[in-house]
Amino acid sequence: MGRIPTIDITPLSDKGHPGYDLTVRQVMDACADIGFLSISGTEISPDTIQRMRTCVQAIFEIDEDAKWEQAITRENYRGFIPLGFFTPNDGSGTADKYEGYKLHYEVANDAAIRSECALYGRNVWPPQVPEAQSVILGYWSQLDRVADTLLGALETGLGLPARQLRDAFRDPMTNMTLLHYPPQAPHEDGYGIHPHKDTDALTIIAPDPVGGLEVQTHDGDWIAPDCPPGGFVVNIGDMLELWSGGRLKSTPHRVVNRSGRERYSFPYFAVPRHDVIVAPLVTPLPGFDRPPVHCGHWSAETWRTNWPDETAKDTTPELGTLRD
């Protein structure tokens, strides 16, 4: 294929829809080839996306001192990620040119699952933007529905029992990163975010109108997704590649903001429950040989190794790499 198709997922809401099987094949073809697709038919209104974008912009307009007071810590990976804070996880290259705000699946302080995994908890909500919690969690719940629809289609396409994938997302470790990319000078080295593969199962993002997201093709070229107004860009992460035995592709992508304008985005990363072990659910393709991954351990290691003085261990999963 070598391109990113646009697919109307309306038929996926009902297995009895006459276009259901065709739409499943279209989704599978895109995920098995380039690992990216643009989708329409989500029933999420453009006004909802705009409210989210306005809220994200307001969060990054908070003064710097307040941002540092609400910054992530090693003990709680929630809150602001200051500009230039992280280099790539392998320690190579210059710091990525973004500032972020990290959010996780929201659970109450007395939720039983907190006794099972310390990574669960409440988010840090910026008091300077009082509407943030309601706007973001409302948007988040709508993306949960879209993710569930897509996972159901992938169950069908992979020949899996109904809900085998979707049931792994009860009490998930799904998370979201709010991102602000200042404009880069035309000849400035480095990236907004360096080339990488996502380590989750499924990523959903409302693309920023200024552009900057680029996806690597099989030939090594970089292309920008076309996406209809009000649509979303979706990509496969390493966990779904592993679940599918290599049939679905986790593809390198990057962000370079040379638009001359501020860029804002808010990707949603679908991650299974902490105790889920991700391993092939179908016979792996020839040559595909990846070890199983424990979701809670993978998440903890991903966030731990973001800190520049932390290194991978023998037990750190090899996900998010750029190997073939």
Side-chain angles (χ1 to χ4, degrees):
M1 188 181 294
R3 63 178 182 83
I4 299 168
T6 298
I7 301 170
D8 180 356
I9 66 167
T10 301
L12 298 182
S13 61
D14 178 9
K15 277 197 169 186
H17 191 288
Y20 181 84
D21 290 340
L22 174 59
T23 306
V24 167
R25 287 198 300 273
Q26 290 173 334
V27 170
M28 284 293 297
D29 286 347
C31 293
D33 183 76
I34 198 166
F36 271 76
L37 60 152
S38 294
I39 60 171
S40 61
T42 65
E43 298 184 355
I44 299 176
S45 72
D47 286 346
T48 297
I49 299 171
Q50 185 55 50
R51 281 195 298 274
M52 182 68 182
R53 193 174 302 283
T54 300
C55 178
V56 170
Q57 185 171 348
I59 287 173
F60 288 113
E61 289 173 350
I62 294 171
D63 71 79
E64 292 301 311
D65 288 344
K67 288 179 181 178
W68 279 98
E69 290 173 0
Q70 301 167 46
I72 58 170
T73 66
R74 295 173 196 261
E75 294 73 31
N76 188 17
Y77 202 83
R78 295 169 172 83
F80 276 104
I81 303 170
L83 183 66
F85 200 64
F86 288 139
T87 57
N89 281 51
D90 63 2
S92 65
T94 58
D96 287 332
K97 303 175 192 303
Y98 72 86
E99 60 175 338
Y101 197 92
K102 195 66 189 177
L103 298 160
H104 296 265
Y105 174 70
E106 180 95 344
V107 302
N109 288 331
D110 60 353
I113 200 164
R114 296 193 70 195
S115 66
E116 301 174 19
C117 178
L119 297 176
Y120 288 89
R122 299 294 300 269
N123 285 303
V124 177
W125 296 104
Q128 297 85 351
V129 187
E131 71 275 17
Q133 182 173 1
S134 61
V135 170
I136 292 170
L137 292 184
Y139 177 77
W140 191 311
S141 68
Q142 294 187 66
L143 289 187
D144 285 340
R145 177 179 51 78
V146 175
D148 190 78
T149 296
L150 291 169
L151 289 166
L154 294 174
E155 289 168 350
T156 301
L158 291 168
L160 300 175
R163 300 217 60 87
Q164 186 166 13
L165 292 177
R166 287 172 287 172
D167 282 350
F169 292 83
R170 289 182 290 104
D171 294 320
M173 301 200 75
T174 295
N175 56 93
M176 185 181 289
T177 308
L178 314 181
L179 292 161
H180 168 223
Y181 301 92
Q184 295 176 233
H187 303 294
E188 183 179 353
D189 291 336
Y191 302 95
I193 288 185
H194 63 282
H196 66 285
K197 295 181 180 181
D198 286 348
T199 53
D200 61 344
L202 197 68
T203 303
I204 307 174
I205 184 171
D208 189 279
V210 309
L213 174 63
E214 298 177 342
V215 178
Q216 190 172 46
T217 68
H218 299 305
D219 297 330
D221 296 328
W222 293 91
I223 60 174
D226 289 325
C227 190
F232 294 83
V233 174
V234 175
N235 65 275
I236 295 298
D238 280 1
M239 288 186 175
L240 260 171
E241 184 174 273
L242 179 55
W243 256 330
S244 70
R247 286 165 176 79
L248 309 180
K249 304 300 183 185
S250 179
T251 302
H253 51 287
R254 66 188 187 187
V255 172
V256 182
N257 182 19
R258 295 199 173 95
S259 67
R261 293 180 285 170
E262 308 297 319
R263 182 182 191 273
Y264 299 92
S265 68
F266 28 98
Y268 162 104
F269 303 103
V271 180
R273 192 175 55 256
H274 72 96
D275 57 353
V276 169
I277 307 295
V278 178
L281 298 175
V282 294
T283 302
L285 295 177
F288 185 85
D289 182 20
R290 305 272 180 91
V293 173
H294 182 281
C295 286
H297 173 65
W298 161 82
S299 296
E301 282 295 281
T302 297
W303 298 322
R304 180 185 68 80
T305 57
N306 268 330
W307 300 90
D309 59 349
E310 297 281 1
T311 58
K313 302 175 181 177
D314 291 342
T315 58
T316 301
E318 291 188 18
L319 291 176
T321 63
L322 296 182
R323 65 181 177 179
D324 294 331

